Amino acid sequence: MTTPSSLTQDELKTLVGQAALQYVVPGDIVGVGTGSTVNKFIDALASIKSTIKGAVSSSVASTERLQALGIPVFDANDVQSLSVYIDGADEIDGNGNMIKGGGAALTREKIVAALAQRFVCIADESKRVEALGKFPLPVEVIPMATQHIARRFEAMGGVAKVRLKDGKPLVTDNGQHILDVTGLSIHNPLEFESQVNQWPGVVTVGVFAHQKAAVCLLGTAQGVQTLIY
């Protein structure tokens, strides 16, 4: 028998993915995020797919995975609200504020999160931080504004680099670029998110404070820990 302390990171992701099923409301459409931990949730969701209407997805990759498992995917424009949005995080602080966007789906994730009455974050304990900013902060930007926005972050003490894929700027599902910003320590996430989102050329910043988590299911050596904010 496997004890919690001997679980791998992958096994912890499976545990939290399965634990998130308890927040799925029967008969509803579920908001589904993006990433390796969410993939575990999608796999678990397939086991109860007959009890839900379907899902709204935050990325092409998640949509393809959901559809491959026979789960209907709805367009966000066709849904007035969602009871729950389940997604991972690159970092989460003690108040449920997060950094997201390591997988480049931050704008769509924020849109689906805004539709949801409750955000349930699923993560392993390595993502828990005192202050946001150790993980490079993703910012989705319109390409013509990239260098201007990078200079604004440099004025704040950060270093912004264009995310590359195969030696060229990565292009998001929305046709934009991503800046990854290091060197920041974000002590007021709500104010920071509001400020950066006002900069011309920013599509959205990967700080989730306006759409923060209500619950975090954290995979730990002791099992799944439930944090309520």
Side-chain angles (χ1 to χ4, degrees), residues 3-4 17 20 26 34 58 65 77 119 135 169 172 188 205:
T3 59
T34 304
S58 70
R65 194 179 188 96
N77 285 310
F119 190 132
F135 188 90
T172 69
N188 190 331
V205 59

Side-chain angles (χ1 to χ4, degrees), residues 143-223:
M144 72 174 287
T146 301
Q147 293 308 316
H148 170 68
I149 293 164
R151 287 191 292 271
R152 293 195 74 157
F153 278 116
E154 284 162 15
M156 299 172 79
V159 177
K161 293 183 179 179
V162 177
R163 189 180 302 181
L164 302 178
K165 184 178 181 181
D166 302 324
K168 297 179 182 178
L170 178 145
V171 178
T172 69
D173 288 350
N174 311 310
Q176 314 296 353
H177 292 173
I178 297 276
L179 280 174
D180 288 310
V181 187
T182 54
L184 300 176
S185 185
I186 303 166
H187 293 283
N188 190 331
L190 198 66
E191 184 181 294
F192 180 91
E193 180 184 0
S194 296
Q195 177 187 355
V196 175
N197 275 339
Q198 295 302 313
W199 296 353
V202 170
V203 179
T204 200
V205 59
V207 171
F208 281 59
H210 287 280
Q211 277 90 33
K212 71 174 191 172
V215 178
C216 181
L217 302 176
L218 207 62
T220 74
Q222 289 74 43

